[in-house]
Amino acid sequence: MASGAYRNGVHKGASAASNFKSSSFKSKHPPVAAPGSGLRRSSSASLGAASGSLKDDRGVPGRVRVAVRLRPRNAEELVADADFADCVELQPELKRLKLRKNNWDSDTYEFDEVLTEFASQKRVYEVVAKPVVESVLDGYNGTVMAYGQTGTGKTFTLGRLGEEDTSARGIMVRSMEDILADLSPETDSVSVSYLQLYMETIQDLLDPANDNIPIVEDPRTGDVSLPGATVVEVRDQQSFVELLRLGETHRIAANTKLNTESSRSHALLMVNVKRSVMGREAALSSEDDNSSHLVKPFKPLVRKGKLVVVDLAGSERIQKSGSEGHTLEEAKSINLSLSALGKCINALAENSAHVPVRDSKLTRLLRDSFGGTARTSLIVTIGPSPRHRGETASTILFGQRAMKVENMLKIKEEFDYKSLSRKLDIQLDKLIAENERQQKAFEEEVERITLEAQKRVSEVERNYADALEKERLKCQMEYMESVKQLEEKLVTNKKKCCNGEGPGVSGAEELAEVKKLLQNEIHLRKAAEEEVDYLKNRLGQFTQPEAGGNSEILKLRKSLEDEAHKKKKLEEEITILQSQLLQLTFEADRMRRCLERGGSGNAFTGLDSLMSQVGHLHLKDAGNGQRASIATLSEQVGLQKVLSLLESEDANVRIHAVKVVANLAAEEANQEKIVEAGGLSSLLMLLRRFEDETVRRVAAGAIANLAMNGKYSWVYQSLKGLGFLSFYSGIQSCVQYIYHFCVVTSFSDLAEANQELIMVEGGIGLLSMTAAEAEDPQTLRMVAGAIANLCGNDKLQMKLRSEGGIKALLGTVRCGHPDVLSQVARGIANFAKCESRASSQGTKTGGSFLIEDGALQWIVQNANNEASPIRRHIELALCHLAQHEVNAKDMISGGALWELVRISRDCSREDIRNLAHRTLTSSPTFRSELRRLRIEC
Ligand code: ADP
Ligand code: MG
C-alpha cells in the first residue's frame, strides 16, 4: 500500500518532475532557465533571450515550480500534539515528503523543493522566489504564490517585514530588495499596487476608499489590468516597506469592517518592473527592413516584467470554520476564487480543453500565472499537526497538481517607441544643428575661397598687365630705336643720293668714278711736284741777297726800339706837364674865384696838394694804401669840393676829379656818401656833357661801382635813357653790371623796365661780344644768365633775337660748364615759353626763332642730360615748342619727336609727362608721324 501510495505519489510527482532530476529548484527550470541563471548577467545574454522571444511567439516552456514548507509546531501544537508524531515526514535531500496515513503507512510525494521547519527565510526566498524575480528583471512575468491552510505560514513566508529581525524578512521584501538593486534609476522604474480580493471584490489596500476595482482584459493580448488601482512608484526599500505596512494596516481595518478575517481574503502585491535595454541592430532590421540608418544606433526596447505575489486565503474547507457564521452562499462566495483556482489547475494539469479561467476574479487575475506566459513558483505551506492531516493532504495534492501545469514563458519586451521617438528627436535636432553648422562653415569656406580666388585673379591680372605694359614699352623703345636708326640711315642715304653717291650708282660706275678721281689726283700731284721744283729754284735765287738784307733789318729794329723809348719818355713828360697844367688851372680858378668873392686863395692849399698827388696816380694801379691816402685827402679837402671839380671847365681837372671819385666809389664805405653828396648826378652829367673818352670810361666805372650795391636800385632807374652802356662797351664790369641788373635785381618790380633799358642801351650787343670773347666760365655764366632772363621778357623777344641774343646764348655752351648749360637751358625754356604765349595770342606767326637760330640740335642732344635742372628746362622747352603745329615738322626732322615720346613716358614729373603726352596727341603732324612709325603714345 505504502508502495502503492508511494507509487501513486511518485507517479504523480515523477510524472510532473520526470524531466527535472536536478537537485536544484532553480536549475530545474526549462532551457529558458537562462534568464534565471543569475541576477547580474550581461545584457547581451538577456538580449539573446529577448530577441529569441521576439522571434518565437510561442515562448519557451516553463513548468510551475512547487515547493512545500513545513511550519514548526506552534505552542499549542507542542502541547496538544505532544504525544503524536507529525503527520508528515520530510526528506529534503530527496525532495520528498511522506504523509502519514497511519502509524505504518504513508504516501510519498516529490516536490521541486522540500523546506523543513528549520528552513530559513533566506533559503526559502532563494529557492522559491529569486528565480522568478530574476525572470521579472529580464522582462518576464512572474508569480510567487502561497497556498495552504490558515495558520501554516503563508503570510509568514511572503509578507514578513522583518524590521526588527532582518533574517525574518519575507519574500515580498527580499524581492523588492533584489529588484531595486538591479535597476538603474535613470532608465528603469518599478511601481507597485497592493490589493485584496474578498468575496469577488477587489479592494485597494493602498487606498481603502477604492474598494471595487474592475478587471479589464485586453481582448488582443489577454493581459489583465486593474484601472483605478493605486500604483506607487518605488524609489527605495524603505518606502516599499512603508507601503507594505500601510497595506497590512488597511487589510486589517477592511476585514474588521467587513467582519472577516484576513485568512479569508486573498492579498495580491503587483510589482511592475520597466527596464530599458538597447536592442540589437539585427533584431531591428529584421523587424523593419525599411528602417532608416537613423534607427540603427538606437534600438530602444522596454521590458515590462510583472511580479505578482499572492498570499491566498486559507485553503481549509469553509465548513470547518463554520464558527464564522457565514451562510452557505457566503461561504461559497468566499471560497469561489480558491476553488476556481483549483479547478483551473486541475484542468491545466490534465491538459483539459477547457480551463475555467473566467469563473472567478482570482483566476482571471492569475490567468498568466497558470497556463500563461509567466514564470510561476508556488509554495504550499503545511502544518505538522496530525489533527489537520486532511487539510495537509489536500494542500499537498494541490501542490502536486500545480506541478503539472506547464507555462510558456514569454518575454514582455516591446519597442520603446516613446524613448525611440524622443531619442530620434534629439538625434534629429543634433543632426540639424550639425548640418546647419556645416552648411554655414561650408558657405563661409566657399566665400573665403571665392574672395581669395578673386584676389589672386586680380593680382595675377595686375601683374600680367604690368608685365605686358613693361614688355610693350620695352618693345616700343626698341622699335623706336631701330626706326630712329633706320631713319638716320635713310637720311644719310638720301644725302648720299643727292651727292651722287646714292645706291643708284652701280659698282662698275663707282669704280670708274674712283679711277677717274685717281687719275685727277695723279695729275694734280704731278702739277704740284712741278710747282715745288719751280719754287725751290726761285728760293735758291733769293738766298744769295738775303745775307745783306738781314743786317738792314737789325738796324731798323734798333732804331724802332729807340723811337719807342723816346716815346715813353715824352709821355712821362706829358704827364708831368699835364699835372703842372692842372695845378696852374686850379690856381687860376682860385684866383678867379677870389677875385669874384674878394677872398684870399689860401683855402685851396689842401686841394692843390691833393690834385698834385692825384696827378701822379694811375687809377687802375691804385693800391689800397694809395686809396686810403686819397680817402684821407678827400676828407681833408671835402667830398663836396672834389665833386664840384667834376664840373670844372678844364678837361684835365675833370679827368683827375673823376678818377678820385671813381677810386672812392670802389670802396663800399664811400658809396653812400658819394650818392648822398650828389656824386651820381655829377658823374651822369659828365657822361652826358663831355665827349672825352677817358672821362666817360672812368665815370662809367664809378657809376657801375655805385650801382653794384643792391641797395641802390634807384641808381639803375636813374641810368635810364643815359646811353650809359653805349660808351662803356668792352669792359668786364659792364657785363657784371648787366648781369646784376638782369639777374640780381630781378626780384624788383623794376626788373622788367630795367631789362628794357638794357636792351635799349644795346646790352645784347655787349653781351654777345663778351660771350664771343670770354673764356672764363663765370663770365659766360653771367652772360648766359643775363640773356636767359631777357629771354623771359615777352616784349623783348623780337629785339633779342634780331640782335643775335639766341645765337650768343647758344655760343656760351662751348665751355661745357654745367652752370652755363643750365642758364642756357633756362634761357631756351624762357624763350620757348614766351614764343608759345605769343603764338597762342596770335602776336607771333611762323616757326620758332629758336629752331631758326639752330637751337634744336642742342636741345635734342641735351634733352636727356644727366643734370636735372638742364633736363627739366629742356623738357619744358620741347613741350612749349611742340605746342605749335608750325614747329612740328622741324621737330620731327630734328629728332625731337623721340624725346617728346620719351618725356611722355619716362619723365619723373607727372605734370611734364602729361604735358608732353597732351602735346603729342593734340598735334595732327605728330600723330600721323607716330602712326607712320607705328608708335603708340
Ligand atoms: P497563515 O498566513 O497561513 O494563516 P501565518 O503566517 O499567519 O499563517 O502563521 C501563523 C503563525 O505561525 C504565526 O504566528 C507565525 O508566526 C507562525 N509561523 C508560521 N510559519 C512559521 C515558521 N516557519 N516558523 C515559525 N513560526 C511560524
Ligand atoms: Mg495569512
Side-chain angles (χ1 to χ4, degrees):
M1 284 296 282
S3 63
Y6 174 68
R7 274 195 309 276
N8 182 44
V10 168
H11 169 74
K12 286 172 185 174
S15 67
S18 57
N19 290 328
F20 314 106
K21 293 293 181 193
S22 162
S23 64
S24 161
F25 181 85
K26 187 168 73 174
S27 66
K28 279 183 183 173
H29 281 280
V32 276
S37 61
L39 258 178
R40 282 156 190 83
R41 284 153 298 160
S42 71
S43 57
S44 60
S46 52
L47 220 60
S51 53
S53 72
L54 273 170
K55 284 180 181 173
D56 186 356
D57 265 2
R58 289 168 303 165
V60 287
R63 184 175 57 78
V64 174
R65 322 297 295 179
V66 181
V68 61
R69 186 184 196 187
L70 177 64
R71 172 178 56 74
R73 285 186 181 205
N74 58 26
E76 188 228 325
E77 285 164 341
L78 284 170
V79 175
D81 298 335
D83 297 333
F84 302 97
D86 286 350
C87 68
V88 290
E89 185 191 334
L90 304 184
Q91 294 176 316
E93 63 284 359
L94 298 172
K95 301 186 187 295
R96 280 180 189 166
L97 174 149
K98 283 184 178 176
L99 176 65
R100 288 179 215 279
K101 286 161 93 183
N102 46 50
N103 284 338
W104 59 91
D105 195 12
S106 63
D107 289 331
T108 302
Y109 300 95
E110 202 168 303
F111 282 91
D112 290 307
E113 201 67 49
V114 172
L115 302 161
T116 68
E117 65 270 41
F118 307 112
S120 70
Q121 288 284 73
K122 182 170 185 273
R123 173 158 167 73
V124 172
Y125 170 74
E126 280 175 355
V127 299
V128 176
K130 191 164 182 173
V132 179
V133 169
E134 287 173 350
S135 290
V136 169
L137 286 169
D138 285 338
Y140 295 86
N141 282 346
T143 308
V144 176
M145 190 168 79
Y147 181 94
Q149 193 183 356
T150 300
T152 53
K154 297 185 293 297
T155 305
F156 182 89
T157 300
L158 299 178
R160 284 208 58 178
L161 302 180
E163 284 177 298
E164 285 159 12
D165 175 11
T166 52
S167 67
R169 287 170 298 162
I171 282 172
M172 286 177 181
V173 175
R174 289 176 191 267
S175 297
M176 187 55 76
E177 271 174 3
D178 278 354
I179 288 169
L180 286 173
D182 202 44
L183 292 187
S184 10
E186 299 82 25
T187 53
D188 307 338
S189 67
V190 56
S191 61
V192 297
S193 296
Y194 201 12
L195 307 152
Q196 172 176 272
L197 174 62
Y198 177 66
M199 285 183 68
E200 296 304 289
T201 306
I202 298 171
Q203 297 153 1
D204 192 341
L205 289 179
L206 300 179
D207 179 11
N210 203 3
D211 59 1
N212 192 8
I213 297 167
I215 298 173
V216 175
E217 285 169 49
D218 184 329
R220 194 171 55 84
T221 60
D223 285 346
V224 291
S225 60
L226 298 167
T230 303
V231 179
V232 178
E233 191 148 332
V234 178
R235 302 265 179 216
D236 55 69
Q237 187 65 17
Q238 190 53 43
S239 65
F240 175 67
V241 171
E242 290 300 324
L243 280 177
L244 288 183
R245 189 184 294 122
L246 182 71
E248 193 56 36
T249 312
H250 288 154
R251 192 179 182 194
I252 293 162
N255 289 330
T256 309
K257 185 179 157 198
L258 292 166
N259 195 24
T260 62
E261 289 173 33
S262 62
S263 61
R264 303 258 60 88
S265 66
H266 312 283
L268 294 97
L269 176 73
M270 292 180 170
V271 181
N272 285 288
V273 176
K274 209 191 267 185
R275 309 193 75 181
S276 290
V277 291
M278 297 305 281
R280 275 201 315 200
E281 195 178 338
L284 278 167
S285 358
S286 67
E287 281 293 301
D288 181 8
D289 286 340
N290 296 325
S291 59
S292 82
H293 69 282
L294 288 176
V295 179
K296 284 182 183 171
F298 309 104
K299 299 161 284 285
L301 296 171
V302 62
R303 287 180 182 167
K304 294 176 177 174
K306 185 163 85 173
L307 173 67
V308 182
V309 182
V310 188
D311 185 0
L312 288 171
S315 60
E316 65 277 4
R317 282 165 299 172
I318 192 87
Q319 301 91 300
K320 244 191 161 181
S321 53
S323 58
E324 290 167 22
H326 290 287
T327 63
L328 187 62
E329 283 309 306
E330 275 174 335
K332 274 183 184 172
S333 181
I334 288 165
N335 259 339
L336 176 65
S337 283
L338 204 55
S339 56
L341 177 66
K343 282 176 192 167
C344 284
I345 286 175
N346 282 345
L348 288 165
E350 287 156 18
N351 277 324
S352 287
H354 176 67
V355 180
V357 172
R358 304 195 61 81
D359 282 5
S360 75
K361 285 190 175 171
L362 182 66
T363 49
R364 284 169 68 193
L365 286 172
L366 296 179
R367 93 183 266 165
D368 196 43
S369 305
F370 294 93
T373 64
R375 177 183 296 283
T376 299
S377 275
L378 173 68
I379 184 164
V380 293
T381 53
I382 52 173
S385 172
R387 285 179 288 141
H388 300 300
R389 192 188 165 279
E391 292 300 336
T392 302
S394 154
T395 300
I396 288 167
L397 288 174
F398 181 86
Q400 287 292 302
R401 280 194 297 276
M403 282 177 75
K404 292 180 185 172
V405 177
E406 190 87 33
N407 287 354
M408 289 302 282
L409 307 191
K410 276 190 196 168
I411 199 161
K412 303 296 174 186
E413 186 176 66
E414 57 189 48
F415 289 115
D416 189 353
Y417 291 107
K418 269 190 194 170
S419 164
L420 178 64
S421 158
R422 205 166 49 244
K423 282 184 178 172
L424 288 178
D425 277 349
I426 293 168
Q427 178 77 354
L428 193 64
D429 285 349
K430 273 187 188 168
L431 287 172
I432 288 170
E434 174 66 9
N435 187 34
E436 280 174 357
R437 195 188 61 72
Q438 283 180 356
Q439 180 71 23
K440 200 175 164 218
F442 175 73
E443 281 168 9
E444 282 171 1
E445 184 66 8
V446 166
E447 198 175 337
R448 192 186 64 73
I449 291 171
T450 309
L451 280 175
E452 178 84 359
Q454 280 172 357
K455 210 172 114 190
R456 282 198 195 162
V457 166
S458 57
E459 198 174 327
V460 167
E461 277 177 356
R462 204 167 48 243
N463 290 346
Y464 177 71
D466 286 353
L468 200 68
E469 182 60 19
K470 269 187 196 161
E471 194 60 25
R472 195 179 67 80
L473 285 174
K474 197 179 141 205
C475 287
Q476 275 216 354
M477 289 310 285
E478 284 169 9
Y479 173 71
M480 272 171 60
E481 275 306 311
S482 36
V483 170
K484 199 173 167 183
Q485 285 169 10
L486 285 173
E487 289 278 317
E488 282 167 7
K489 271 190 191 168
L490 189 68
V491 172
T492 323
N493 283 343
K494 273 184 186 165
K495 275 183 191 162
K496 278 186 187 168
C497 261
C498 293
N499 299 337
E501 303 166 9
V505 184
S506 71
E509 281 171 339
E510 213 169 317
L511 195 65
E513 189 97 356
V514 171
K515 275 184 181 171
K516 207 173 154 192
L517 282 170
L518 193 66
Q519 284 296 324
N520 278 347
E521 288 296 318
I522 292 165
H523 284 306
L524 284 169
R525 196 179 143 210
K526 268 188 183 167
E529 281 172 0
E530 281 167 10
E531 182 76 13
V532 168
D533 287 345
Y534 168 75
L535 286 172
K536 275 183 183 167
N537 288 337
R538 289 277 299 165
L539 187 66
Q541 286 167 14
F542 282 119
T543 314
Q544 263 123 46
E546 197 190 354
N550 263 352
S551 63
E552 203 152 339
I553 287 168
L554 284 171
K555 266 185 203 167
L556 281 171
R557 260 185 206 160
K558 185 135 187 355
S559 64
L560 194 65
E561 277 171 16
D562 290 343
E563 283 303 315
H565 188 67
K566 278 179 194 166
K567 190 191 167 198
K568 203 181 167 191
K569 276 194 169 177
L570 282 171
E571 274 176 357
E572 282 171 4
E573 271 172 47
I574 287 167
T575 310
I576 294 163
L577 286 171
Q578 276 178 343
S579 111
Q580 284 170 351
L581 183 63
L582 182 64
Q583 198 171 355
L584 286 171
T585 313
F586 271 127
E587 269 174 38
D589 258 13
R590 189 191 60 184
M591 292 301 289
R592 192 174 64 243
R593 280 177 202 168
C594 277
L595 287 171
E596 279 166 13
R597 291 184 219 146
S600 99
N602 292 338
F604 292 98
T605 318
L607 189 60
D608 293 346
S609 114
L610 171 68
M611 286 301 154
S612 66
Q613 286 184 46
V614 168
H616 297 285
L617 291 174
H618 287 285
L619 278 174
K620 72 175 182 183
D621 300 329
N624 285 337
Q626 284 165 332
R627 273 198 191 138
S629 66
I630 290 170
T632 319
L633 284 169
S634 79
E635 264 171 37
Q636 289 166 4
V637 175
L639 184 61
Q640 200 65 54
K641 282 169 191 168
V642 176
L643 289 177
S644 70
L645 291 179
L646 289 174
E647 293 170 36
S648 168
E649 296 297 324
D650 187 329
N652 276 327
V653 174
R654 284 202 303 273
I655 284 175
H656 285 288
V658 82
K659 283 180 181 173
V660 171
V661 173
N663 261 309
L664 291 171
E667 295 293 311
E668 203 179 327
N670 301 326
Q671 285 169 357
E672 199 168 351
K673 287 179 198 160
I674 294 169
V675 174
E676 277 173 6
L680 184 66
S681 306
S682 305
L683 287 166
L684 289 171
M685 181 270 294
L686 282 180
L687 288 177
R688 253 197 312 273
R689 271 205 222 149
F690 302 103
E691 294 300 317
D692 184 277
E693 184 59 37
T694 315
V695 171
R696 281 176 147 189
R697 190 165 53 81
V698 178
I703 292 169
N705 277 341
L706 291 177
M708 216 62 82
N709 190 323
K711 283 191 286 184
Y712 302 117
S713 63
W714 55 269
V715 171
Y716 302 108
Q717 271 298 300
S718 58
L719 295 174
K720 199 188 276 183
L722 294 177
F724 167 69
L725 294 166
S726 56
F727 41 76
Y728 198 33
S729 58
I731 299 168
Q732 169 86 13
S733 59
C734 178
V735 174
Q736 278 177 350
Y737 167 76
I738 295 171
Y739 175 76
H740 193 77
F741 220 58
C742 297
V743 181
V744 180
T745 65
S746 63
F747 59 86
S748 157
D749 52 0
L750 301 169
E752 226 175 76
N754 291 344
Q755 286 169 358
E756 285 163 35
L757 175 62
I758 300 282
M759 293 293 286
V760 168
E761 298 302 329
I764 286 300
L766 260 174
L767 289 167
S768 302
M769 205 161 65
T770 315
E773 287 168 2
E775 292 302 329
D776 173 32
Q778 285 316 308
T779 308
L780 288 172
R781 180 179 67 83
M782 283 191 286
V783 171
I787 298 177
N789 266 28
L790 296 171
C791 283
N793 192 322
D794 292 292
K795 294 178 194 162
L796 307 177
Q797 293 276 295
M798 295 292 283
K799 197 169 164 57
L800 182 73
R801 192 257 172 158
S802 62
E803 289 181 9
I806 295 168
K807 286 189 171 152
L809 184 67
L810 287 170
T812 62
V813 304
R814 68 177 184 281
C815 89
H817 194 283
D819 288 351
V820 178
L821 298 188
S822 174
Q823 294 299 337
V824 172
R826 187 169 68 83
I828 286 172
N830 276 350
F831 198 91
K833 188 178 172 185
C834 290
E835 264 193 344
S836 175
R837 204 151 41 207
S839 297
S840 307
Q841 290 164 358
T843 53
K844 182 181 183 312
T845 49
S848 165
F849 294 142
L850 287 170
I851 295 173
E852 281 179 23
D853 283 0
L856 193 60
Q857 196 191 348
W858 187 81
I859 290 174
V860 171
Q861 279 165 5
N862 289 277
N864 205 10
N865 195 299
E866 278 178 11
S868 68
I870 300 173
R871 195 169 65 244
R872 288 280 165 273
H873 287 310
I874 290 181
E875 282 170 350
L876 279 171
L878 275 168
C879 290
H880 287 312
L881 289 173
Q883 272 167 359
H884 296 285
E885 193 65 10
V886 69
N887 296 329
K889 279 211 169 101
D890 289 333
M891 291 185 77
I892 291 168
S893 63
L897 178 61
W898 307 106
E899 297 308 325
L900 278 168
V901 172
R902 182 191 59 73
I903 294 164
S904 74
R905 285 176 182 171
D906 296 347
C907 182
S908 59
R909 258 180 63 179
E910 197 186 355
D911 52 344
I912 298 178
R913 211 166 56 231
N914 291 342
L915 181 64
H917 186 263
R918 259 205 318 279
T919 312
L920 282 175
T921 48
S922 61
S923 156
T925 314
F926 286 142
R927 275 210 309 272
S928 75
E929 179 65 4
L930 287 172
R931 261 199 307 279
R932 187 181 73 77
L933 297 171
R934 295 178 200 289
I935 291 170
E936 276 179 45
C937 190

